[in-house]
């Protein structure tokens, strides 16, 4: 009889063909395959994705620090678009320039504008408003005793926060999200031409939306991120071109939203799986900031990002050829036994969690990390306090999202005790 059992994690295997981020078992738990790769083939080629995958913490730090790896164009589709798609895209900006996809000196210039817009003092000043939004969301479902925490809390909270930060109406986010997702469709480029044409229309609509908002702020500046990113040529102070301002504002919708939703969802599950640690956090809220870092390490929301090798590069026993795309697998580095003691154990008291690379490393280190940490801290404090005995739903299962880059839940139905004081 044919053996259909999954490969044992302690036997060397062809990691390249084994590694399949879309396989249901690996979506559920990718970590055994990452561990296998780190042990036997720490840098390997994935035919399926057409990329070199780097899995060890030390090798990841090397790639993230070495200018021999470029971020420019690293998220762009490798195939060229059909003329119909190109025609629609040429009605807007053709390139996908943004902070995360640029190298110095462009990166340094754009990053300076972002550092000001997301400065620690601006972020800290958002706490009362984040607390209010989070409490209002919880008010909306707490008395029901059960809810899908993704759609009722983890998804809307960062969506509202990022729209307030940008200065766009909260009610527009529902309209903008499909357009923002269209950009991902274009980047992945593995759809029919008809779908890519539709995605190109959404992408151009999103550009126009933000362009109009920049034009508005040029006439009437406000206390928001769009005003802070307003290009000089439109009367603002930021050293950005109009195209850079539009593309970066658009990118924040993706960078600052579902990443944080996934951090909240992944963290809730880790607390449910470790009730003793949830109890410790409930009893002492000052433990939450380190718990947030441990959640980021243990179930990293951005499992990886891309780079392009500028030259042939020897790493982890492999030679990555010049021009090749590299997938830096943060989620694997954060479980590396060479860097973390007992890496598969969730432990909010661990001392080495500061070394995690869930926000990246080097010049592209997440510029929104303080905001993400603040949202998560407020979210866990309020959820653990206001949803007593929060647990899995007795009959509805949690469902992971089938994404390559983001790791989180599509649905997370939970239940809790209803009390009068919630
Ligand atoms: C838990 C939530 C978040 C996670 C896990 C996360 C993760 C990351 C990672 C791994 C990078 C580095 C990308 C690379 O190496 O190429 C990054 C960059 C970035 N993040 Fe975040 N992020 C989060 C939240 C946010 C938020 C809330 C914002 C904005 C308000 C944001 C904006 C950005 C931007 C603009 C960059 C590009 C920085 C650069 O290239 O210099 N992120 N993020």
């Amino acid at each position: 009889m044919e053996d259909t059992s999954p490969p044992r994690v302690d036997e060397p295997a062809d990691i390249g063909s084994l590694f399949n981020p879309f396989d249901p078992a690996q979506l559920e738990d990718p970590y055994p395959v990452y561990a296998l790769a780190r042990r036997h083939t720490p840098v390997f080629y994935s035919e399926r994705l057409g990329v070199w995958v780097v899995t060890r913490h030390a090798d990841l730090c090397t790639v993230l620090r070495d200018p021999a790896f470029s971020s420019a164009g690293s998220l762009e589709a490798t195939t060229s678009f059909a003329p119909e798609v190109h025609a629609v895209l040429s009605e807007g900006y053709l390139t996908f320039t943004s902070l995360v996809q640029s190298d110095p000196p462009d990166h340094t210039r754009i990053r300076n504008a972002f550092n000001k817009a997301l400065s620690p003092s601006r972020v800290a000043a958002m706490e009362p408003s984040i607390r209010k939004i989070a409490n209002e969301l919880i008010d909306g479902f707490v008395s029901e005793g059960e809810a899908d925490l993704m759609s009722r809390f983890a998804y809307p909270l960062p969506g509202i926060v990022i729209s307030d930060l940008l200065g766009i109406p909260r009610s527009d986010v529902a309209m903008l999200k499909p357009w923002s997702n269209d950009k991902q469709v274009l980047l992945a480029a593995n759809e029919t031409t008809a779908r890519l044409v539709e995605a190109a229309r959404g992408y151009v609509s999103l550009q126009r939306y933000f362009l109009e908002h920049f034009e508005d702020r040029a006439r009437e500046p406000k206390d928001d991120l769009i005003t802070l990113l307003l290009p000089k040529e439109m009367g603002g102070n930021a050293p950005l071109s109009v195209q850079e301002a539009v593309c970066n504002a658009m990118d924040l919708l993706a960078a600052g939203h579902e990443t944080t939703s996934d951090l909240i969802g992944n963290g809730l599950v880790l607390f449910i799986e470790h009730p003793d640690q949830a109890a410790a956090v409930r009893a002492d809220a000052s433990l939450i900031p380190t718990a947030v870092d441990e959640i980021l390490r243990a179930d990293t929301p951005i499992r990886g990002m891309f780079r392009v090798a500028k030259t042939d590069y020897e790493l982890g026993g492999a030679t990555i050829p010049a021009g090749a795309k590299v997938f830096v697998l943060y989620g694997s580095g954060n479980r590396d036994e060479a860097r973390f003691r007992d890496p598969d154990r969730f432990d909010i008291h661990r001392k080495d969690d500061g070394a995690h690379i869930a926000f990246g490393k080097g010049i592209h280190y997440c510029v929104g990390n303080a905001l993400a940490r603040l949202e998560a801290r407020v979210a866990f404090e309020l959820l653990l306090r206001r949803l007593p005995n929060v647990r899995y739903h007795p009959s509805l299962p949690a469902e992971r999202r089938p994404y390559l880059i983001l790791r989180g839940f599509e649905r997370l139905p939970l239940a809790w005790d209803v009390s009068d004081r919630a």
Side-chain angles (χ1 to χ4, degrees):
M1 211 173 84
E2 195 190 342
D3 180 9
T4 53
S5 57
R8 287 197 1 241
V9 294
D10 56 350
E11 64 190 22
D14 176 4
I15 309 289
S17 44
L18 192 59
F19 176 74
N20 179 2
F22 305 108
D23 169 62
Q26 289 184 45
L27 273 176
E28 195 52 42
D29 183 6
Y31 299 110
V33 173
Y34 294 177
L36 194 61
R38 284 194 305 274
R39 210 170 313 139
H40 300 293
T41 327
V43 176
F44 66 90
Y45 185 70
S46 162
E47 196 94 42
R48 189 173 278 112
L49 302 180
V51 297
W52 288 82
V53 186
V54 179
T55 60
R56 283 185 182 162
H57 190 280
D59 290 341
L60 286 160
C61 292
T62 300
V63 172
L64 295 169
R65 287 199 186 109
D66 195 330
F69 293 93
S70 167
S71 286
S74 59
L75 284 172
E76 276 176 30
T78 34
T79 48
S80 51
F81 293 118
E84 302 93 301
V85 182
H86 203 267
V88 178
L89 285 176
S90 21
E91 292 167 21
Y93 300 117
L94 268 171
T95 52
F96 300 94
T97 325
S98 68
L99 184 60
V100 76
Q101 281 200 81
S102 56
D103 291 335
D106 283 343
H107 177 267
T108 321
R109 181 172 49 82
I110 304 174
R111 178 91 188 196
N112 284 341
F114 266 85
N115 283 342
K116 281 191 197 120
L118 286 163
S119 69
S121 57
R122 278 185 73 82
V123 170
M126 294 173 76
E127 178 161 354
S129 138
I130 293 173
R131 203 166 270 282
K132 183 163 179 289
I133 301 162
N135 265 319
E136 284 169 2
L137 288 169
I138 299 173
D139 290 343
F141 59 75
V142 65
S143 62
E144 295 169 27
E146 60 174 60
D148 169 18
L149 263 285
M150 292 313 290
S151 62
R152 303 289 291 276
F153 185 87
Y155 189 81
L157 175 70
I160 295 171
V161 171
I162 200 77
S163 54
D164 286 1
L165 181 76
L166 283 162
I168 60 176
R170 291 177 180 181
S171 53
D172 282 1
V173 174
M175 169 183 84
L176 301 179
K177 277 322 272 191
W179 294 344
S180 176
N181 292 342
D182 281 339
K183 182 182 165 192
Q184 307 307 319
V185 172
L186 283 172
L187 292 177
N190 60 354
E191 296 280 351
T192 61
T193 301
R195 176 69 190 101
L196 289 174
V197 166
E198 188 190 298
R201 288 210 185 94
Y203 179 61
V204 171
S205 306
L206 191 60
Q207 293 179 351
R208 291 209 180 108
Y209 175 91
F210 276 105
L211 187 57
E212 278 170 25
H213 273 274
F214 278 107
E215 285 164 353
D216 266 6
R217 294 314 185 281
R219 287 188 291 273
E220 197 183 329
K222 293 188 181 159
D223 180 20
D224 61 23
L225 200 131
I226 291 192
T227 305
L228 287 169
L229 295 182
L230 197 62
K232 275 208 176 66
E233 62 190 277
M234 292 176 96
N237 290 316
L240 305 180
S241 67
V242 178
Q243 181 212 2
E244 285 167 342
V246 167
C247 289
N248 277 291
M250 285 173 32
D251 254 30
L252 274 192
L253 272 185
H257 188 177
E258 273 128 301
T259 47
T260 312
S261 308
D262 289 340
L263 167 59
I264 296 171
N266 295 354
L268 277 169
V269 164
L270 285 166
F271 281 128
I272 289 173
E273 295 282 342
H274 300 86
D276 53 325
Q277 304 199 40
V281 162
R282 264 193 207 100
D284 179 1
S286 73
L287 294 174
I288 298 181
T290 44
V292 168
D293 275 298
E294 174 62 354
I295 294 162
L296 283 159
R297 184 200 70 81
D299 207 10
T300 306
I302 294 199
R303 74 174 79 217
M305 285 292 282
F306 295 100
R307 296 290 187 272
V308 177
K310 288 197 215 161
T311 53
D312 287 358
Y313 203 97
E314 302 280 332
L315 190 72
T319 305
I320 301 173
K325 259 196 178 180
V326 177
F327 192 31
V328 283
L329 203 55
Y330 300 129
S332 171
N334 284 338
R335 294 282 191 115
D336 190 339
E337 36 293 286
R339 187 63 192 80
F340 301 98
R341 258 171 56 143
D342 203 357
D344 294 332
R345 194 165 54 91
F346 176 66
D347 178 5
I348 61 167
H349 303 290
R350 73 165 59 238
K351 298 282 178 258
D352 53 9
D353 61 347
H356 76 70
I357 46 176
F359 285 126
K361 197 169 196 71
I363 61 167
H364 291 280
Y365 185 78
C366 178
V367 74
N369 78 88
L371 179 59
R373 286 188 157 108
L374 172 60
E375 289 182 64
R377 170 165 67 74
V378 170
F380 292 127
E381 183 198 317
L382 297 178
L383 290 170
L384 291 175
R385 177 154 55 76
R386 297 192 62 193
L387 309 182
N389 189 20
V390 63
R391 53 194 179 270
Y392 289 123
H393 191 279
S395 54
L396 301 172
E399 260 174 60
R400 286 273 178 193
R401 297 194 294 163
Y403 292 169
L404 174 64
I405 293 187
L406 288 176
R407 171 162 172 82
F409 289 93
E410 182 74 46
R411 258 175 285 282
L412 183 57
L414 301 182
W416 54 90
D417 302 339
V418 176
S419 87
D420 295 340
R421 292 188 305 115

